[in-house]
Amino acid sequence: QQIDPSKYDPELSAETYYDVLSDKDIIRHNWVESLYDLYQMPDHEGTCKKLEIRYGNAAWHYLKNYSNLGTCLVKATGRKAPEEYCIPKYWPILFTRKTITENGQEHFCYKLREPVQTAIRLLEKNGFFTKEKASMNQVKLNTILYGPPGTGKTYYSVIYAVAICEGKLVEEVENENYKDILARYREYMSEGRIAFTTFHQSYGYEEFIEGIRPVLSEKAQSNKNELKYILHDGIFKKLCKSAQKAKEGIIPYDENTKVWLVWLDESTKEQCFQDNVIKFKDSGDEFGDEARLNLLKQIKKGDLVLSYIGIDGKCDNFGIVQDSSPSFEYSEDENGYWVRKTEWNNNVDFFIVESILGTKAFARRKGIDKIVGLSIEDIIDLIESSLKETPLRPAKEECPDDQNNSYVLIIDEINRGNISKILGELITLIEETKREGAEEAIEAVLPYSGQTFSVPNNVYIIGTMNTADRSIALMDTALRRRFSFVEMMPNTKVLEDIGIGNVVINGVSLNIARMLNVINERIEYLYDREHTIGHAFFRKLADAPSIETLSMVFEENIIPLLQEYFYEDYEKIQLVLGDNGKEDEYKFILDKAVNERDVFNGDTDLGLSEKKFEVQHEAFKKVYSYKLIGKGI
């Protein structure tokens, strides 16, 4: 018997709601923003579908954020709904609920409790939403990180991408350990939520959107190879297709995705759903275990699994496999379990499989079988028809990580590609106002496939651009118009934050931050600010603060850059490095007087320089060569 949430009172005051909702240590701002969306609906109520239509976020975006809010309120206040209440015990803390019928289907319509409405009004009055929105370092859909070499553009593209995928602020992720950020970044890449490419002069529409590609296929009748031409989706189109499926709540898949039936033991099924695993006991049955293990090994990361209950062809859950191979888990008895990590959906009614498959028999002895003869699109349509708006099971007690349905494409060296050639008609479609779901949304018909195509509003494009690259002046004006630009200049505070603002080498104190500022001030005076030296080159000193490391940085990075900047005008390079005021032994660029009579026979009247220059490698091994670059170093 379900408890009517309108008759349940969590006995929490508006002040308590206000205190918890405004506590940044336990509540994330975008969760409260989702609550604010409902507050602004007529009568402070609505279905998740109506919220989706009005605000553009997917319906499950609200389901997840409301679940996160309720979970954290439970943790902060200790209040729960009665145990008899079979949908998540957390939601009644925020809402009352009624059922409405639209187009012959019943939907849950959520209404904010009176104290919650009062708390949100107070948050709104105190500027919580406007001030927080203004201070949030939110990433625009199309963003370019630009600046001189070595300012961490590619480094920060990783931070931006992870922040987008996790629905966090950039500054929040930036303060975390970079190794942890990088590990999560690689995980999102393996899941297909982040893609990376580099533009170059030969990069084209066919690689980015779609094109015809030749392939060799071996004929069955002979050993001869046959040349065929196939339609191939480019990196951006693939990402947009995955993003669209995620936005609609559909499982991302490709032509290699397989669908499996699994028959889980009733004694462990609920725990499997809660722990997000497939688990089969190692029973000691040599034949059954071996066959089952072989099938477990065939399941790939990203495959779809259906939980089969063995009655009238019914399944009661579906999930996505998250690991690449089975692992063994020991139990308290002498046997253990073979395990595959699987993200279960837990948001589905029963759906029938065998009625569609006809005579398909399921090998219950093995507990695993692959579905054949049915396309994955048909399977997904089948699952979608059974999805419920309310999850069957409550979320975990702890506040879960906030994951959203955003996808990110990182384009390194974006200004080096021919944008008109690469994007084609999509140059218009990537605009925020032209994205799918926007009021001015536009679709284009792709030339190769003839398909209609639009860019989902959950796809982010992060480009990086080196301002020292001479090709920047040729960058497409249409591209400039459609991107937000974030300047990234040399920042010596980064060096100080990682402990190398000042280092001791061979017993001599050397102010690296001051040295970089002096060099960049001279470059800006002699050239411009777009050709300064980035702080990232000196990060190597954090691991090995030695003269060898510093020498390598200067010889392999700084000197080649200065040679390129000043077209080997070594007198200017000397000025940048302070060599004009050093004794010869400490000069990085050593100058020697030369008499043209010693080179040519007689006078030439060519106006040749009276000096010749050479890079003095011995000077890079001396600490005072760096100390004498300028005062205070």
Side-chain angles (χ1 to χ4, degrees):
Q1 182 69 34
Q2 292 192 9
I3 303 297
D4 185 349
S6 63
K7 297 178 181 178
Y8 163 69
D9 185 1
E11 299 179 348
L12 295 175
S13 66
E15 290 76 14
T16 301
Y17 283 115
Y18 177 88
D19 290 341
V20 176
L21 292 176
S22 59
D23 189 339
K24 295 180 182 178
D25 292 333
I26 58 175
I27 300 290
R28 289 183 180 156
H29 186 270
N30 58 319
W31 299 349
V32 190
E33 285 285 347
S34 296
L35 208 60
Y36 188 55
D37 287 347
L38 183 60
Y39 174 79
Q40 296 179 93
M41 296 286 283
D43 298 323
H44 314 300
E45 66 179 32
T47 65
C48 290
K49 189 65 179 176
K50 286 184 175 179
L51 287 165
E52 176 183 22
I53 294 170
R54 180 164 180 171
Y55 296 107
N57 297 309
W60 74 274
H61 164 85
Y62 291 100
L63 291 171
K64 180 164 284 190
N65 284 354
Y66 293 160
S67 179
N68 289 338
L69 278 169
T71 305
C72 291
L73 276 161
V74 165
K75 188 173 183 180
T77 64
R79 301 296 172 89
K80 295 184 181 180
E83 290 296 324
E84 294 84 1
Y85 194 69
C86 68
I87 70 168
K89 304 180 181 67
Y90 319 114
W91 295 17
I93 282 183
L94 290 163
F95 313 107
T96 58
R97 188 196 77 195
K98 65 180 179 181
T99 302
I100 62 173
T101 302
E102 291 181 346
N103 300 323
Q105 291 188 335
E106 288 190 345
H107 299 276
F108 293 135
C109 182
Y110 297 98
K111 183 178 180 66
L112 290 172
R113 292 187 176 276
E114 289 291 341
V116 181
Q117 296 177 32
T118 303
I120 292 179
R121 275 195 295 273
L122 187 57
L123 288 167
E124 184 181 41
K125 181 180 177 181
N126 292 339
F128 175 82
F129 299 104
T130 54
K131 282 193 289 190
E132 284 291 328
K133 278 186 174 180
S135 65
M136 286 176 71
N137 189 3
Q138 292 179 320
V139 184
K140 301 295 184 183
L141 285 175
N142 304 320
T143 302
I144 288 179
L145 310 179
Y146 72 101
T151 50
K153 297 178 290 298
T154 304
Y155 174 92
Y156 269 92
S157 69
V158 172
I159 295 173
Y160 271 64
V162 171
I164 291 167
C165 287
E166 297 179 352
K168 296 179 179 178
L169 304 182
V170 171
E171 57 194 22
E172 184 181 350
V173 176
E174 183 183 2
N175 292 328
E176 299 178 23
N177 184 288
Y178 188 72
K179 289 184 178 179
D180 295 336
I181 299 170
L182 194 58
R184 278 148 44 207
Y185 169 83
R186 288 170 177 160
E187 183 66 25
Y188 293 135
M189 285 196 79
S190 68
E191 293 172 3
R193 291 185 62 191
I194 297 175
F196 181 94
T197 190
T198 301
F199 278 2
H200 49 81
Q201 290 300 312
S202 61
Y203 200 88
Y205 184 92
E206 290 74 16
E207 289 87 4
F208 196 66
I209 310 299
E210 67 173 16
I212 304 296
R213 174 177 292 182
V215 294
L216 286 174
S217 61
E218 190 171 317
K219 289 184 177 181
Q221 300 86 352
S222 67
N223 293 326
K224 294 182 179 180
N225 289 329
E226 183 181 57
L227 183 63
K228 292 184 177 180
Y229 293 89
I230 62 170
L231 182 65
H232 171 76
D233 287 342
I235 186 171
F236 186 65
K237 185 181 176 184
K238 284 181 180 178
L239 190 74
C240 287
K241 287 169 73 173
S242 295
Q244 183 59 49
K245 293 166 192 171
K247 185 180 177 183
E248 295 174 355
I250 306 174
I251 304 155
Y253 66 92
D254 58 32
E255 62 274 11
N256 297 316
T257 303
K258 301 293 187 296
V259 185
W260 302 79
L261 286 173
V262 295
W263 190 18
L264 300 172
D265 192 292
E266 287 298 326
S267 64
T268 60
K269 179 189 286 190
E270 290 300 317
Q271 194 65 38
C272 285
F273 291 162
Q274 181 179 335
D275 295 342
N276 283 318
V277 295
I278 298 171
K279 183 182 288 188
F280 287 105
K281 193 164 187 177
D282 183 13
S283 62
D285 181 342
E286 183 177 349
F287 172 76
D289 287 345
E290 183 178 353
R292 189 182 306 121
L293 181 56
N294 286 336
L295 287 168
L296 268 179
K297 290 178 179 179
Q298 292 178 34
I299 299 176
K300 303 189 308 299
K301 182 176 181 178
D303 279 356
L304 174 63
V305 291
L306 312 180
S307 170
Y308 184 70
I309 62 175
I311 302 174
D312 298 325
K314 286 184 178 179
C315 293
D316 61 353
N317 209 344
F318 69 93
I320 302 294
V321 177
Q322 302 295 308
D323 58 7
S324 301
S325 60
S327 59
F328 190 78
E329 179 183 290
Y330 290 96
S331 60
E332 293 180 358
D333 56 27
E334 61 185 18
N335 297 315
Y337 295 90
W338 288 105
V339 176
R340 290 299 300 264
K341 293 180 180 178
T342 302
E343 184 177 347
W344 291 103
N345 181 268
N346 298 333
N347 184 28
V348 64
D349 273 329
F350 294 117
F351 55 95
I352 307 296
V353 174
E354 286 191 350
S355 61
I356 296 178
L357 293 176
T359 58
K360 171 71 178 176
F362 183 57
R364 297 182 181 179
R365 178 179 178 83
K366 293 179 290 188
I368 307 171
D369 210 352
K370 182 163 61 176
I371 294 181
V372 294
L374 193 66
S375 72
I376 188 167
E377 288 85 359
D378 289 338
I379 291 289
I380 289 175
D381 287 342
L382 177 67
I383 294 172
E384 277 196 301
S385 65
S386 66
L387 283 173
K388 302 200 311 180
E389 192 168 40
T390 305
L392 292 174
R393 298 173 181 80
K396 294 182 181 180
E397 291 292 328
E398 67 273 9
C399 298
D401 290 333
D402 180 36
Q403 301 279 328
N404 60 26
N405 63 343
S406 299
Y407 283 65
V408 185
L409 174 63
I410 298 174
I411 305 175
D412 205 23
E413 306 286 359
I414 192 170
N415 55 304
R416 296 190 64 85
N418 184 332
I419 299 301
S420 299
K421 173 187 173 186
I422 295 171
L423 288 181
E425 69 276 8
L426 266 67
I427 192 69
T428 300
L429 272 61
I430 65 171
E431 285 188 52
E432 292 193 23
T433 57
K434 304 299 189 296
R435 298 284 188 106
E436 184 182 82
E439 291 184 7
E440 302 174 33
I442 292 178
E443 288 185 338
V445 177
L446 300 180
Y448 289 97
S449 63
Q451 299 172 346
T452 57
F453 182 79
S454 60
V455 179
N457 59 9
N458 59 332
V459 172
Y460 289 74
I461 302 174
I462 305 296
T464 68
M465 180 184 297
N466 186 346
T467 55
D469 191 328
R470 299 185 187 108
S471 65
I472 188 172
L474 305 176
M475 193 181 72
D476 200 308
T477 305
L479 182 73
R480 292 177 183 269
R481 231 174 7 94
R482 290 171 169 86
F483 278 79
S484 298
F485 285 76
V486 178
E487 185 178 54
M488 308 196 72
M489 295 300 291
N491 183 4
T492 53
K493 186 179 182 301
V494 174
L495 303 181
E496 293 169 355
D497 291 342
I498 62 176
I500 57 172
N502 195 88
V503 297
V504 177
I505 296 178
N506 296 342
V508 179
S509 177
L510 189 61
N511 192 327
I512 301 296
R514 170 64 181 159
M515 178 181 67
L516 182 58
N517 282 333
V518 168
I519 289 174
N520 282 335
E521 185 177 1
R522 292 169 180 168
I523 292 174
E524 191 171 344
Y525 186 89
L526 294 170
Y527 200 159
D528 59 36
R529 66 193 300 271
E530 311 302 334
H531 290 76
T532 45
I533 303 293
H535 54 270
F537 291 122
F538 294 91
R539 278 183 169 270
K540 300 171 186 175
L541 289 169
D543 298 324
S546 64
I547 192 65
E548 288 76 20
T549 304
L550 188 58
S551 171
M552 180 181 65
V553 169
F554 265 77
E555 291 196 80
E556 296 182 4
N557 301 117
I558 309 302
I559 296 299
L561 273 178
L562 294 176
Q563 289 172 327
E564 181 181 344
Y565 289 172
F566 295 105
Y567 303 98
E568 301 197 7
D569 183 344
Y570 285 102
E571 287 186 329
K572 286 184 178 177
I573 297 176
Q574 280 188 317
L575 291 174
V576 169
L577 299 175
D579 286 347
N580 57 309
K582 297 178 186 175
E583 296 179 7
D584 284 356
E585 66 173 307
Y586 299 118
K587 290 180 178 180
F588 298 118
I589 307 298
L590 185 63
D591 55 284
K592 294 181 179 179
V594 61
N595 190 331
E596 64 182 38
R597 282 179 167 273
D598 297 333
V599 180
F600 301 97
N601 291 328
D603 295 328
T604 62
D605 295 327
L606 295 176
L608 300 175
S609 172
E610 297 179 354
K611 293 181 181 179
K612 69 175 182 179
F613 302 90
E614 64 180 37
V615 178
Q616 186 174 217
H617 297 284
E618 295 79 8
F620 292 100
K621 303 296 184 183
K622 299 174 181 178
V623 179
Y624 279 95
S625 298
Y626 305 95
K627 290 283 289 183
L628 295 173
I629 286 176
K631 294 179 180 179
I633 297 175

